Amino acid sequence: MRLYLLVFLGACSIAQAQVFEQTLPLSGATTAPFSIETTDTLNPPFVDDFSYRSDRPATELWSDQDVWINDAMPLFQNSIGVATFDGCNAYGKPYQPGNITTNGISDRLTSNYINLQGATDVWLSFQYQRAGRGEAPSSADSLVVSYYSPVDSSWTQVWGEKGTGNADAFKTAMIPVLGNQFLKKGFRFRLATYGARGGAYDVWNVDYVQLDKDRNPGDSVVTEPAFARPHPLLLGNGPYTSWPWWLSMSNTIANRPNTLTFTYRRLGTVPSGGWSLNLGQFRWEENGVLIQQQTAVPVITTTQHDQDLTFDVAVPSGALGTLSGPTNVTTKVWFDGSAAGTRQNDTVHGTLELDNYLALDDGSAERAYGIENVTGSRVAQKFNTGGLGSNDSLKGVSMNFAWFRDSVYSFRLAVWAPADSGSAPGALLYLTDSVYQHSDHWNRNDFFHFALDSALDISAYSSVWIGYVDVSAATTLYVGLDQERTLPNAMQRYYGDGFNWYPSLEPGALLLRPFFRYTPADMAIEVPSAAAFQVYPNPSTHVVSVASKNMDPFDVVFLNVNGQILLQASGEGKIELDISKVPKGLYLIRTLQNGALTYTKWMKI
């Protein structure tokens, strides 16, 4: 029986069923009164399908920015873009990191002021989905709608739906606006979720929000053609989403597809004769230079509605030719013809960055990945590195971290050769002496770069395993996981405890990217300073002393190179550790004082 577990834990834009999230401490169904602005001149209809490129709600429609606009979390949506509600703020950070026990109002989406003076038969409609790719809300969680009365500056909850503990398909809510206190200038509505407030838990996805007058209970059908999925990856369905720009497209690392397939839907009532749509118009640019544009495309008419339909776009023959440096590819694909519905969802955009790294992920994490119940856990991801030369040394690794609680997570970078069988990591090729600390992101899906102590030539291997050893003392390091990516079995991820390797049972690709030849332009690493402490003698045989330069209390932890805690103590001024029974070798001494961590290498002789 394995003594440790593979788990998913919530971080923002990432979630797990066994940990709870938190949100800003609001006061339930009401908030402080809003003053009615003279600029509250939004007139019906109010429509938002969240198909814009920003990951924040449109400020011309919404007064807050809490929810995440994305295509990563929904399942089987009708058009691109949804608003995802979870326990994270606008920057993807938990409202109250570490609070895993209390529920309350988490994300909210509040309209700007709307003028309903004199309006009749006003209805609010939207589509909603529990979980999608996120963590499912339980029966203790809910999605609610409240209306704001400008008459007495109060909020009234008018609708609610509980979680079920399961993901489901999109459903439609249709809610009337009744009462003279609401049918005024200065009306607002708000969607909010009750759930855990410490990360991306109790997830709801919302789409197609519409408020309008002169409606009826049956007026909930959306009628329009729209892209139903985001732009496909420009490298097709191969394992890599990016590779170093100097590698040939013809090698085994990646092969450019000849066509890209796009998914769209013809939604709602079938018009007479069907919509005639010009499908497949596109524009392809590399570093701002137009490679090809196509506007003469087939006109497609069909009465097949409310189902996924596809069309193909040929990749330009001149795309991704001989590259002379880092290359940024941008594409735009759109259709036009019979005008109907929200026109912004008739266009999708794609991007591809070729710099100095290998990537298996699409840049967006739906989950967090960590190894629990074992000290010094190891995680290794296979990368095919054929084609890299002796000048293309491994310089470091870029990683995305899941923010779950206000703790410090520590790790060392590692590289393993393939095992003789080729199916698992083999001999350890490299383990950094340096111990790195995770960085809290400023925005969702940020990457942070960590340089190796010295560059590593791996040109002798057609593939290597690259990963990390978690040396956190009492917490688990969580790395972003892209669950949308499907990797071939030959590139399966492995995890271990320092003695054995096990194949991962969780699908997807870690947001972990090795970089080669040179360091990224935005490289910035914080190196813990040991200036506040003296560690002596170093090396020594029987006793090591750790002295603080001030009299504040501090903790000392004595670790081996695998991150296992051998000794620990607390005190003030100076702490002496008896290391007479410790085997000879290299060790790490970690200090914690006033929330600051330092690491010192120490040798036993």
Side-chain angles (χ1 to χ4, degrees):
M1 178 177 179
R2 300 178 187 176
L3 300 179
Y4 43 92
L5 301 174
L6 182 66
V7 300
F8 288 90
L9 287 179
C12 289
S13 78
I14 306 170
Q16 151 58 350
Q18 306 212 342
V19 182
F20 299 89
E21 301 179 323
Q22 299 178 332
T23 60
L24 289 171
L26 302 181
S27 56
T30 63
T31 65
F34 293 97
S35 61
I36 298 178
E37 305 288 346
T38 58
T39 57
D40 63 346
T41 54
L42 287 179
N43 292 312
F46 180 108
V47 179
D48 196 353
D49 78 331
F50 310 108
S51 58
Y52 30 85
R53 300 180 71 182
S54 172
D55 64 352
R56 309 283 179 82
T59 56
E60 62 267 26
L61 296 175
W62 307 101
S63 66
D64 43 40
Q65 299 283 289
D66 295 344
V67 300
W68 178 27
I69 309 304
N70 72 98
D71 283 299
M73 298 304 289
L75 287 172
F76 310 115
Q77 70 268 38
N78 287 314
S79 79
I80 53 174
V82 301
T84 294
F85 292 70
D86 55 24
C88 304
N89 66 14
Y91 301 98
K93 299 178 180 179
Y95 289 116
Q96 293 181 347
N99 188 336
I100 62 175
T101 58
T102 59
N103 279 16
I105 290 184
S106 49
D107 269 353
R108 59 181 181 177
L109 185 61
T110 307
S111 74
N112 290 335
Y113 295 100
I114 304 171
N115 183 7
L116 294 185
Q117 187 71 44
T120 58
D121 297 323
V122 180
W123 291 76
L124 170 68
S125 63
F126 57 90
Q127 297 176 3
Y128 65 96
Q129 178 188 63
R130 298 173 179 86
R133 289 188 173 89
E135 193 259 347
S138 69
S139 59
D141 310 312
S142 58
L143 171 68
V144 301
V145 173
S146 299
Y147 290 163
Y148 174 76
S149 167
V151 174
D152 58 6
S153 300
S154 66
W155 285 92
T156 302
Q157 183 176 316
V158 296
W159 179 91
E161 188 79 1
K162 290 184 176 295
T164 61
N166 298 300
D168 58 10
F170 276 95
K171 300 178 181 179
T172 298
M174 193 77 183
I175 311 165
V177 180
L178 302 174
N180 291 330
Q181 74 273 30
F182 300 127
L183 299 174
K184 304 289 184 182
K185 185 178 183 181
F187 169 79
R188 309 178 93 181
F189 66 92
R190 183 179 68 204
L191 292 87
T193 51
Y194 284 84
R197 305 189 299 173
Y201 301 99
D202 306 326
V203 171
W204 300 77
N205 297 311
V206 170
D207 200 3
Y208 277 115
V209 178
Q210 181 175 356
L211 177 86
D212 202 0
K213 59 185 178 179
D214 301 324
R215 302 180 74 184
N216 60 68
D219 185 18
S220 62
V221 177
V222 175
T223 302
E224 66 171 2
F227 278 103
R229 303 292 180 270
H231 195 297
L233 295 171
L234 292 179
L235 298 184
N237 295 321
Y240 288 99
T241 58
S242 184
W243 70 97
W245 60 265
W246 60 86
L247 294 180
S248 169
M249 284 296 302
S250 62
N251 67 18
T252 58
I253 288 182
N255 292 288
R256 186 193 67 194
N258 294 321
T259 60
L260 297 173
T261 299
F262 294 80
T263 301
Y264 76 107
R265 294 173 72 92
R266 297 168 181 254
L267 300 169
T269 306
V270 180
S272 177
W275 286 307
S276 297
L277 302 178
N278 305 308
L279 298 176
Q281 299 174 91
F282 74 90
R283 182 179 178 89
W284 183 293
E285 295 182 354
E286 296 178 9
N287 289 338
V289 177
L290 178 63
I291 301 300
Q292 186 173 333
Q293 178 168 296
Q294 179 68 49
T295 56
V297 296
V299 178
I300 305 298
T301 302
T302 178
T303 57
Q304 293 177 292
H305 271 229
D306 299 317
Q307 58 185 287
D308 286 353
L309 304 171
T310 63
F311 64 87
D312 291 337
V313 170
V315 174
S317 59
L320 297 174
T322 301
L323 306 181
S324 58
T327 300
N328 186 51
V329 181
T330 57
T331 63
K332 173 184 175 182
V333 178
W334 71 95
F335 61 80
D336 54 26
S338 301
T342 304
R343 302 307 304 279
Q344 66 186 11
N345 59 25
D346 299 350
T347 302
V348 290
H349 299 265
T351 60
L352 169 64
E353 179 186 70
L354 301 181
D355 197 345
N356 67 331
Y357 60 88
L358 283 171
L360 295 165
D361 62 274
D362 65 7
S364 181
E366 293 80 44
R367 295 274 179 169
Y369 181 91
I371 310 300
E372 288 242 319
N373 297 340
V374 62
T375 300
S377 62
R378 305 175 296 170
V379 175
Q381 173 61 61
K382 186 177 182 180
F383 289 89
N384 294 327
T385 52
L388 291 170
S390 59
N391 293 326
D392 304 330
S393 56
L394 176 65
K395 300 287 286 187
V397 177
S398 301
M399 301 171 68
N400 166 265
F401 301 101
W403 188 352
F404 172 57
R405 55 170 61 92
D406 287 330
S407 300
V408 175
Y409 307 111
S410 304
F411 62 96
R412 306 169 75 199
L413 297 174
V415 181
W416 295 269
D420 293 338
S421 65
S423 61
L428 179 66
L429 294 177
Y430 186 94
L431 181 66
T432 59
D433 291 329
S434 295
V435 174
Y436 307 92
Q437 295 179 10
H438 88 294
S439 297
D440 294 333
H441 55 73
W442 290 100
N443 287 296
R444 297 177 189 267
N445 301 314
D446 279 345
F447 278 87
F448 296 90
H449 313 300
F450 301 91
L452 301 182
D453 295 324
S454 59
L456 179 64
D457 181 4
I458 55 175
S459 59
Y461 300 92
S462 60
S463 64
V464 293
W465 297 82
I466 299 175
Y468 58 89
V469 177
D470 187 351
V471 297
S472 303
T475 56
T476 298
L477 176 69
Y478 298 103
V479 179
L481 180 69
D482 175 9
Q483 280 203 314
E484 291 187 85
R485 298 286 294 143
T486 300
L487 301 181
N489 290 335
M491 299 187 71
Q492 186 177 31
R493 181 173 58 255
Y494 275 73
Y495 68 100
D497 58 356
F499 301 98
N500 301 292
W501 286 107
Y502 302 96
S504 172
L505 302 178
E506 301 296 337
L510 290 180
L511 272 67
L512 183 151
R513 300 173 172 181
F515 56 86
F516 306 87
R517 189 179 288 191
Y518 56 88
T519 55
D522 57 347
M523 184 81 178
I525 301 176
E526 295 183 5
V527 179
S529 171
F533 291 90
Q534 290 180 322
V535 179
Y536 61 94
N538 189 3
S540 65
T541 305
H542 301 291
V543 175
V544 60
S545 298
V546 182
S548 172
K549 293 186 177 180
N550 61 57
M551 294 305 296
D552 293 337
F554 66 97
D555 301 323
V556 174
V557 176
F558 189 87
L559 309 101
N560 64 17
V561 292
N562 290 320
Q564 294 172 310
I565 298 175
L566 304 181
L567 301 168
Q568 52 188 342
S570 300
E572 299 177 2
K574 184 175 75 171
I575 296 175
E576 291 186 345
L577 299 175
D578 179 2
I579 45 81
S580 58
K581 297 181 180 180
V582 173
K584 296 179 181 180
L586 180 66
Y587 295 88
L588 293 173
I589 295 176
R590 185 181 68 206
T591 60
L592 174 62
Q593 185 180 61
N594 298 327
L597 279 175
T598 65
Y599 287 87
T600 303
K601 296 178 185 178
W602 179 84
M603 179 69 71
K604 165 70 179 290
I605 57 176

